[in-house]
Amino acid sequence: MLRPGPLNLLTDVPGLSVGNATDEATRTGVTVVRFPGGWTAAVDVRGGGPGVRETAALSPENGYAKLHALTFSGGSVFGLAAADGVTAALSQAGEGFLVRPDTPRTPIVAGAVLYDLANGGDKAWGQDPPYRDLGRKAFAAAGTSFDLGAVGAGRGARAGLVQGGLGSASLDLGDGLVVAALVAVNPVGSVFMPDGETFWAWPFEIDGEFGGRVPTGPAGAVEPMPDDSRLAGLGRLTEGANTTLALVATNAELGAGECQRLAMMAQDGLSRAIRPAHTPFDGDVVFAAASGVVDLGGEGRAHRLARLGSAAGDCLARAIARGIHAARG
């Protein structure tokens, strides 16, 4: 059986660091991931209402499929400013492309946001939303250990009708290969089966990492739900008010197109852990990044990429449940 890495976090992929910054008065926050030196990256968007930055730069047909940092933020469109603070900090630290020797370095900092403006926090920020500053604080806090639950980008999130949160999980695939996921969970769909306690992701759980609860009926059975209660937030639906933001990362050597395939396969993790996912009301987006340390080889490479993508989907499903479990705890 495959096992998590030592931290069971995104940072089990060597080289990564993650930082959170939370504003309790505003009930919002930012999470930052740093990719030292720039990692090959891609993104797959499937939700109907995404809020993103620099995703076009990561398209495989373009020439800048390298990522120096990623921000997940609350605040809807205001939260996109978190990446501005991180961009400035990275440039000051000497990270990014040097286009000319007499100009500042220009790092690629992608971002994605979730809607948490209606959660009761103080949003009377006038001309000065807090997200640029929160981005800088999360950047400064980045390390190998970080909290899960209602922190960072997960602070103001909702998952259906329950508190959303920030989750993470990892898998050691052997031969030095590691894959891991980070997610800010804010979907309109439900992460729970009809009993309201068992996670849809329960078949993928390792060592009781999100409570160890299994269905009380036949294993894996799904009871009919004539009222479609999987749409747990149906009574509060607002287009663009929900989303799940995710990153899967690996230390494998992948090209931009292979990173794109990894992100696409990892989207299955949302469907394993949230029902329904990818609705017109969600902005579901999955980024993928690879450090390039472990060579996947030539012959049989596609099979190894398929295995990596399958594991990434499982990691993402577990990360979603871990985030909600930590928020409830």
Side-chain angles (χ1 to χ4, degrees), residues 240-326:
N242 295 91
T243 195
T244 299
L245 312 176
L247 163 70
V248 293
T250 178
N251 57 348
E253 172 266 314
L254 300 178
E258 291 170 320
C259 270
Q260 183 75 46
R261 179 57 56 186
L262 182 64
M264 293 168 69
M265 291 189 70
Q267 287 273 12
D268 291 345
L270 272 70
S271 300
R272 293 168 192 164
I274 301 166
R275 297 193 181 183
H278 309 138
T279 76
F281 307 101
D282 291 285
D284 298 337
V285 54
V286 176
F287 293 84
S291 68
V293 172
V294 178
D295 186 5
L296 288 187
E299 186 177 353
R301 185 181 181 91
H303 291 86
R304 286 186 283 277
L305 177 61
R307 177 174 178 254
L308 188 63
S310 178
D314 288 350
C315 271
L316 183 48
R318 291 167 48 225
I320 290 167
R322 289 194 78 207
I324 303 307
H325 182 65

Side-chain angles (χ1 to χ4, degrees), residues 163-261:
Q163 171 72 53
L166 187 76
S168 192
S170 68
L171 273 177
D172 186 337
L173 303 182
D175 297 325
L177 190 62
V178 179
V179 65
L182 176 76
V183 60
V185 191
N186 185 58
V188 69
S190 179
V191 298
F192 294 112
M193 297 181 73
D195 62 11
E197 294 292 336
T198 307
F199 286 101
W200 287 113
W202 74 268
F204 310 101
E205 187 173 16
I206 300 174
D207 294 339
E209 62 191 338
F210 41 87
R213 185 180 174 90
V214 300
T216 55
V222 177
E223 296 296 327
M225 293 180 284
D227 61 345
D228 201 11
S229 60
R230 283 173 292 192
L231 274 169
L234 188 61
R236 61 178 187 88
L237 283 182
T238 302
E239 288 191 37
N242 295 91
T243 195
T244 299
L245 312 176
L247 163 70
V248 293
T250 178
N251 57 348
E253 172 266 314
L254 300 178
E258 291 170 320
C259 270
Q260 183 75 46
R261 179 57 56 186

Side-chain angles (χ1 to χ4, degrees), residues 4-43:
L7 297 175
N8 200 13
L9 295 174
L10 183 78
T11 48
D12 284 326
V13 178
L16 291 179
S17 57
V18 177
N20 289 319
T22 306
D23 186 328
E24 289 296 338
T26 309
R27 297 186 191 175
T28 193
V30 171
T31 299
V32 171
V33 184
R34 295 186 62 177
F35 306 92
W39 290 24
T40 303
V43 62

Side-chain angles (χ1 to χ4, degrees), residues 125-131:
W125 50 57
Q127 295 287 326
D128 297 301
Y131 295 99

